[in-house]
Amino acid sequence: MSYLYDLIAISPHPDDAEIGCGGTLALLTKKGYRVGIIDLTDGEPTPFNENPEVRIQEANESARILGVDRFLLDLPNRELLDSIEARMKLARLFRETRPRIVVGMIGMTPGTSPDHYQSQLIFDSAIFYSRLSKWEKKFGGLKPWLIEQSFYYYTAREQVPTNLPFQFIVNISDFFAIKKKALLEYKSQFKAHPSYNPPIIDWIEGMGRYYGNLAGCKYGEVFFGNKIIQMNFFEHLLTN
Ligand SMILES: [Zn+2]
């Protein structure tokens, strides 16, 4: 069986993946790679959005701008918990979509949604469940799927564990404008907050500039790895 997606990003809510790695997703699709986003929840309700359908439309428009396919797992927003059911649902989608690489959000986010950290736990377990043999019955006959690599993206709200072996930065200087355009589709989240100062989009731009500067480019996105990899692995994906 061969893979169907080069990379899939797992997003607790529609917009988290775009914040953390939207530039990288746009870069990959521009190079012809097949990329997807799995939203674990629909992200609703939120304070300034009256209609969950609006958020879904925004998410789909953002995906169109980035050139990615989008899947909704429909786990409960605000009540997301690392459970066997949640792990199995995500693992099942991994078996169906067969990604080579997956990226998920990392760490606890004190002061914002606890769903974020739960998504990391679900993500880690689902990668494992996806490849387990002798579980076809639990997955409706779907065969095991071995994901080659996994990384974490970062949105600058998380407390990052310091014991991770490595981090790297992807140069998204040519793709920050697309990332920003995709994010601005989320009017219910980023344009409807007159009380937020500075605007969320400014913070995302600042984060991009900060990580870009660290790596000697204008805009960057940082990824964390939980195990040592061959140097050429991700680089190969990004440059070929
Ligand atoms: Zn979120």
Side-chain angles (χ1 to χ4, degrees), residues 11-17 19 41 43 55 77 105 109 112-113 115-116 155 157:
S11 198
H13 315 112
D15 72 13
D16 289 311
I19 294 171
T41 77
R55 181 84 171 265
N77 180 49
M105 190 169 170
T109 54
T112 72
S113 173
D115 293 356
H116 296 144
T155 75
R157 293 169 290 182

Side-chain angles (χ1 to χ4, degrees), residues 38 40 73 86-94 122-123 126:
I38 295 174
L40 295 186
L73 211 55
R87 295 174 183 181
M88 295 298 283
K89 274 186 106 167
L90 183 57
R92 185 188 177 103
L93 196 47
F94 284 160
I122 295 165
F123 172 76

Side-chain angles (χ1 to χ4, degrees), residues 147-168:
I147 292 165
E148 291 176 36
Q149 289 290 349
S150 62
F151 303 104
Y152 301 111
Y153 61 83
Y154 179 65
T155 75
R157 293 169 290 182
E158 307 92 323
Q159 295 175 323
V160 175
T162 52
N163 60 347
L164 291 166
F166 72 97
Q167 54 183 279
F168 59 90

